[in-house]
């Protein structure tokens, strides 16, 4: 599988002669027919693999978008335990996940930003929420701090952000490392929903992307969760807003996940065609131990769309120009309402 981030350092080392050991035996799949499909996908035989799934009755064509989403939700409801729903794009993932109940403000990663993008002020948007995993003496921003983008000066490559205590800082983003960028979004949750964390939590100790089930929601929105690995925990979204529904996830986010069965949504008319490719097919289908079902708008062209190769050459990134950092200590008495973090 090619590297998923910018550049392909491991592949380049292999090309240069680095010795490697290949793990060729597939052990996750317990269903013999499904294992055969995964083996075909691993060998790049995508068209044959999809035809094989179709012969097994695991490909369902439903042309209407809303009807297809409803069918996936209905299939999931039949046996929600240890079932994973995968969709290549965030829009359809949200549509599958969306349910009306408790509305909780969450932080959703801006997946459109690369590491290089985060060094350029123009790639940010006013209202973006930033989390700093590294402290900086130059900006005075501490490790673990949150801030919200208040203004952007593109010619000077400066960001002005407001920290939790109302203090503002203006700095050149190419001089501040370890920044994660999020958007505020409302999510609807209810008791019994599957949930996943989109960033690790320290208190309670829960790993990134760990899945769980909501057991209760109190009047203040605090959640009691039964995590698949960490057991019972209590989580306050105001203090840890990095959470999302755990029914459907993108194929990228599903890497490393395993479930007894997977339901895969593939819209061959998806605008972002690069999301439909052989890697998406392999990652999605291979998550399931016993079953994998594909829901698509066009079964006839499905194999061809998923046969797209996504091999990339290494990324060439423009070097940002350094600018002077100008910390500011302007205080404001107005504290925002986001997450109880003062954003």
């Amino acid at each position: 599988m090619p590297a998923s981030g910018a550049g392909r350092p491991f592949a380049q080392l292999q090309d240069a002669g680095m010795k490697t050991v290949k793990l060729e035996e597939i052990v996750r799949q317990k269903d013999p027919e499904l294992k055969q499909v995964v083996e075909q996908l691993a060998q790049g035989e995508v068209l044959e693999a999809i035809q094989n799934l179709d012969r097994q009755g695991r490909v369902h064509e439903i042309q209407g978008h809303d009807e297809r989403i409803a069918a996936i939700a209905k299939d999931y409801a039949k046996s929600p335990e240890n079932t994973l729903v995968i969709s290549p794009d965030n829009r359809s993932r949200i549509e599958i996940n969306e349910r009306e109940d408790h509305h909780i403000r969450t932080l959703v990663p801006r997946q459109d930003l690369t590491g290089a993008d985060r060094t350029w002020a123009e790639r940010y948007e006013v209202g973006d929420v930033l989390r700093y995993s590294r402290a900086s003496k130059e900006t005075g921003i501490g490790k673990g701090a949150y801030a919200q983008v208040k203004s952007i000066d593109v010619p000077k490559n400066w960001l002005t952000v407001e920290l939790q205590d109302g203090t503002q800082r203006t700095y050149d983003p190419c001089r501040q490392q370890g920044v994660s960028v999020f958007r505020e979004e409302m999510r609807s949750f209810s008791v019994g929903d599957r949930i996943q964390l989109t960033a690790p939590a320290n208190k309670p100790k829960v790993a990134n992307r760990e899945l769980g089930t909501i057991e209760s929601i109190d009047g203040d929105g605090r959640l009691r969760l039964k995590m698949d690995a960490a057991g019972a925990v209590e989580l306050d979204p105001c203090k840890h807003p990095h959470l999302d529904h755990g029914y459907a996830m993108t194929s990228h986010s599903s890497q490393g996940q395993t479930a007894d069965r997977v339901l895969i949504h593939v819209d061959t008319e998806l605008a972002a065609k690069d999301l439909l490719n052989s890697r998406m097919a392999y990652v999605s289908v291979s998550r399931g131990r016993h079953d994998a079902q594909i829901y698509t708008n066009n079964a006839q062209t499905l194999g061809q769309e998923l046969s797209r190769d996504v091999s990339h050459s290494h990324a060439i990134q423009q070097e940002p120009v350094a600018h002077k950092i100008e910390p500011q200590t302007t205080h404001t008495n107005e504290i925002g309402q986001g997450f109880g973090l003062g954003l």
Side-chain angles (χ1 to χ4, degrees), residues 174-229:
C174 76
R175 303 288 296 277
Q176 176 76 53
Q177 302 297 314
V179 180
S180 298
V181 187
F182 304 89
R183 287 194 179 101
E184 294 183 2
E185 288 190 11
M186 296 299 295
R187 289 283 190 265
S188 300
F189 296 100
S190 61
V191 173
D193 277 354
R194 293 287 286 168
I195 196 170
Q196 66 169 321
L197 269 65
T198 56
N202 293 323
K203 295 181 180 179
K205 194 73 173 179
V206 183
N208 183 32
R209 295 297 173 188
E210 185 168 338
L211 294 164
T213 303
I214 298 177
E215 293 189 324
S216 65
I217 306 176
D218 69 16
D220 294 324
R222 287 187 292 267
L223 309 176
R224 180 171 177 79
L225 308 173
K226 183 180 180 181
M227 307 305 296
D228 292 357

Side-chain angles (χ1 to χ4, degrees), residues 286-317:
S286 64
R287 298 309 93 192
R289 291 191 189 94
H290 301 286
D291 192 20
Q293 303 284 331
I294 296 181
Y295 288 81
T296 183
N297 62 306
N298 193 329
Q300 187 173 0
T301 63
L302 178 64
Q304 181 180 350
E305 293 292 340
L306 292 177
S307 295
R308 188 176 290 107
D309 185 22
V310 288
S311 298
H312 297 291
S313 59
H314 66 279
I316 299 176
Q317 299 175 349

